[in-house]
Every structure is written in C-alpha cells, then in structure tokens.
C-alpha cells in the first residue's frame, strides 16, 4: 500500500479552477459533495476526479495522476472488493491500515462488519493523528476492554485519553473542544430525542470518528444523528433527510375499477443515493467475506421445537392480538396491546424453557467444545443456567444485572477456557466483546431487531476465530416467532440495501 496521503480535491462554490468557472450543479453531477462546515467540495470516487480533469490547471495534472492511483486503491480497500488481504506492518491487516490514512483527511463513520477490528483501527488513528487529548465514548461494559486494547495497541503514549461510558455522557463539560473524539457503538445515539443522543450531539471535537457495526438498526432515519454529528449540515436538516430517505415508496396496481395506490413500507426511497453519498464522503464499511477470505464460514440452522398445546394456545393468542394491533389507530391502545404481547412472549419463553434445556443437553453431548447461549429474559437465563449447572456442566452466565467489570472478567475466563458454556443476554454482551473460544451459538429467544441477532452471532464470528461457526435459532411451529421473522425480514431488506455495496 502506498504511504502517500490521499488528496481530496476541493473547490469553493464559485472558485475558478484553471480558466473555467465550476458551477454547483456541475459538481453535483460529477458526484462531488458540499461540506458546509468546511466550505469545500470533496469526493471519494476516483472516477469523479477523472471527470474533474478538464477543470484542473495543466501544471496540476501530474500531481492529480499520482494521487489517482492512491485514491483508487484506498477507495477500494475502504469499500471492500473481495481482495486478498494479508498482515501489514504493526500487526494490522491491509484493510485496517487504510483507515488511519483516510482519517487524516476526513472525519469517519467506521461501519465495518462486526469482527473486523474497529477498536484496533481507531487506536491506530490516535497513533497517526497524535492528538494532545482524545475522548472515547463507549458502552459501560466495554470500558475495561478499551483500556486493555489501548495498553496492547497504542504506540503514541503522549495523548491524554479519557474514556467515558455512554451512561455518564450527560455529565460532560460540553464547552471543551477535544482534539479527537471516538464514539464506540454510535448507534446508541439513533434516537435524536433521547438524553444520550442529545449529549452526543453536543460534543465538540476537531476530528471525529464513530464506530458501529450496525449504523442502521431498522430504518434509515436512525443514522441521521450520527452522520450529522460527524459532518454537520452535509446531509441537510433532519426534516429534509426524513423526507428524502425515509418516506416510503408509493406503488400502484391495476384493478377493474382503475389504478389503486399504496405505500410500500418495506421500500424507503432513494436508498442507493444515500448509500453512495455516505461511502463517497464519510463512511467506510467492509464485510468479513470481502476482506478476510480466510475467516471460517458461518452457518445458521433453524430448529423447530415441539412445545405442546399450552404454548401453542398462547402463541395463537399472541398472533391474534398482533393482528388486532395493526388495526388500532389510538397510540395508547397500541402501546397497551404491545405491552400485552411482550408479557405473553415472556410467559411463552418460560413455557418453552424445558424444551430449550432438552435441546442444549443433546447439543452438549454432540459438541465437546465451548458454546454460547443467547437469551433475553433474566428468568430464562437463570433457568438455562441452573439446569446446566445441575447436570454438572461447567457453565457461567452474564446479563445486565452484573457490573461492567464483572462482565469483562466473565468474558476473559470464558476465552481462557474456564467454562464450557456461557449463558448471556445480547443486551449485556451483544456488542464489543470477543467470544471466539466458542464456535457454536444458540439463540434461545429472538430479538425484534435483526442487527441485535447479527451482533450476537458475530461475537463468535470475528478475527481470531479458527473454526466454522454454527448458529442455532430455536423456534416453534405456528408461533409468533413467524410474525417476528416477517418484521425482521422487512427491516433486514432496508439494512441490506443501505449497507451492501459493490465497487465498480
């Protein structure tokens, strides 16, 4: 990889380049993006620079040609194209080494798929920039993990690093203009009305980086608070962004009485445009199968359990209530109905617990290796843990009831092989931790959000995993799990359309 820093060609709105005035509409047509805060135009797309050649002065052409080579290479490495990537100097993979080079030129949304080492890349950016101070915002459970990673990877020791958990962010002095800010699991700020999102938006930093493997959890609007903090104004106002990228597509169909129109709620408009603009300006997003071709495969297996008449009856009641919720226009009625659904799902999960434990008994007889079991409700986690413990299995559990440092210690012990089974909630350990000691995961309960399920899977399927990963999804016939699956499918379509990308 070239050691040269990519040059981002920039021009003011009416700046003369060579002998030609470049108008705003011409630059937009050439896929350049205006950054109001910096008062300049930028592009990340090498073809846009090539098309810009006619506006460049003759004496600048050689420099342009030199930089095009680096720009094209870095663009492809930061928007992966299934390249074989080996280890680079300093212990970084080649795709990881591109990130600090890119960060020297622009603020970043590092949205690599989970398991590609975003923490290490962020620390490499600290070493590259060498700021006097750096604020790092992290989930409570990852504070100790970040201290461990800094001790292991940071080479420039003169930067004063301050690590603040998300839960304490509102106590910060927002008048400080930090030299550098790194925000881990930035999707925590998806709701602009929440206190932590407002606190996040108030942070001031000269250089800004957000890390998240799931920038969009279900709908495009969730990414706006993140990208507007990284580069204020680049994507317009909140209302303009909502109108352009989250309004659903209007479709029509012919009937004997003429054309009928409806909103396709699974197809928000202009997603390809948003994806292109993100990647050409602030976002780096790569997938494991593109940059880590040596990583073992991941397989999902759907297991249907026979749970008996009581559970089936409860599932039918949940399904009927689910159908009625869709007809309610009163928000209060909807809220009450959904609360009832949550309560019944909890009850159903407890009734399924004996079947879950029976499946785990059979699984552990088959696999003589560590296993991670994911669940949601505390009493379900306790039920699985107590059952496995009674059978003599070496098992431990971790959920939101444990202090962050206790959870970090549990993860360390599991990685060292102290326990064969870890029963955990994805809320507590679903992000930022490594569980590569196991290659088998069981999802005993389903989440409403597809990104949470993928996060749970990828605690195992990440750098350091040596074996193929198998994930078992436990479901029941005719249950509300099918309804949840339909919702997850619609949400995943939006996420896939926004995040999947191929470089031309």
């Amino acid at each position: 990889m070239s050691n040269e820093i990519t040059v981002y060609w920039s021009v003011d709105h009416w700046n003369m380049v060579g002998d030609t005035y470049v108008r705003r509409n011409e630059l937009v047509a050439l896929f350049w993006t205006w950054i109001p805060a910096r008062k300049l135009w930028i592009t990340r797309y090498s073809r846009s620079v090539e098309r810009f050649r006619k506006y460049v002065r003759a004496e600048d052409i050689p420099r342009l040609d030199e930089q095009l080579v680096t720009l094209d290479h870095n663009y492809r490495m930061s928007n992966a194209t299934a390249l074989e990537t080996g280890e680079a100097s300093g212990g970084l993979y080649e795709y990881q080494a591109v990130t600090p080079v890119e960060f020297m030129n622009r603020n970043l949304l590092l949205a690599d798929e989970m398991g590609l080492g975003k923490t290490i890349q962020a620390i490499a950016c600290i070493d590259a920039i060498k700021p006097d101070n750096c604020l790092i915002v992290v989930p409570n459970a990852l504070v100790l993990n970040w201290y461990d990673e800094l001790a292991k990877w940071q080479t420039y020791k003169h930067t004063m690093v301050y690590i603040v958990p998300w839960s304490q962010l509102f106590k910060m002095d927002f008048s400080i203009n930090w030299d550098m800010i790194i925000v881990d699991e930035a999707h925590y700020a998806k709701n602009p009305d929440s206190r932590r999102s407002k606190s996040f938006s108030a942070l001031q930093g000269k250089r800004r980086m957000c890390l998240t493997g799931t920038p969009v959890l279900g709908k495009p609007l969730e990414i706006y608070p993140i990208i507007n903090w990284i580069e204020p104004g680049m994507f317009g106002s909140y209302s303009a962004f909502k109108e352009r990228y989250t309004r659903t597509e209007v479709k029509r169909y012919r009937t004997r009485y003429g054309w009928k129109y409806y909103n396709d709620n699974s197809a928000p408009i202009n997603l390809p445009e948003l994806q292109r603009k993100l990647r050409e300006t602030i976002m780096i997003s790569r997938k494991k199968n593109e940059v880590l071709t040596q990583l073992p495969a991941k397989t999902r297996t759907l297991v249907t359990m026979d749970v008996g008449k009581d559970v089936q009856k409860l599932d039918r009641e949940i399904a009927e209530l689910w159908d009625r919720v869709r007809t309610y226009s009163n928000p209060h009625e909807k809220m009450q109905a959904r609360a009832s659904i949550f309560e019944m799902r909890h009850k159903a999960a407890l009734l399924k617990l004996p079947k879950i434990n029976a499946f785990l008994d059979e699984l552990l007889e088959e696999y003589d290796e560590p296993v991670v079991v994911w669940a949601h409700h505390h009493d379900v986690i306790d039920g699985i843990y107590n059952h496995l413990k009674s059978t003599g299995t070496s098992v431990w559990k971790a959920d939101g009831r444990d202090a962050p440092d206790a959870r970090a210690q549990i993860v360390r012990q599991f990685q060292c092989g102290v326990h064969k089974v870890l029963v955990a909630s994805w809320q507590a350990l679903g992000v930022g931790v490594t569980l590569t000691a196991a290659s088998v995961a069981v999802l005993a309960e389903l989440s409403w959000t597809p990104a949470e399920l993928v996060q749970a899977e990828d605690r195992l399927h990440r750098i350091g995993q040596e074996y193929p990963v198998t994930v078992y999804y436990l479901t029941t016939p005719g249950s509300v799990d099918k309804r949840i699956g339909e919702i997850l499918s619609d949400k995943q379509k939006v996420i896939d359309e926004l995040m999947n990308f191929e470089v031309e």
Side-chain angles (χ1 to χ4, degrees), residues 307-316 348 351-352 476:
V307 292
K309 295 181 179 179
D310 290 340
V311 178
Q312 290 177 351
K313 179 182 177 182
L314 185 58
D315 280 330
R316 283 196 299 270
L351 290 173
K352 296 171 188 175
T476 58

Side-chain angles (χ1 to χ4, degrees), residues 137-183:
V137 182
V138 304
N140 292 33
L142 300 184
V143 172
L144 295 180
N145 180 72
W146 265 92
Y147 279 120
D148 290 344
E149 295 297 315
L150 285 165
K152 186 187 303 183
W153 293 98
Q154 187 181 4
T155 58
Y156 183 74
K157 302 295 185 180
H158 300 291
T159 298
M160 295 296 296
V161 177
Y162 301 85
I163 300 180
V164 177
W166 273 98
S167 62
Q168 300 299 312
L169 188 58
F170 70 96
K171 297 180 180 180
M172 291 291 298
D173 181 356
F174 297 107
S175 65
I176 299 176
N177 189 13
W178 298 87
D179 288 345
M180 181 174 172
I181 300 178
I182 298 171
V183 180

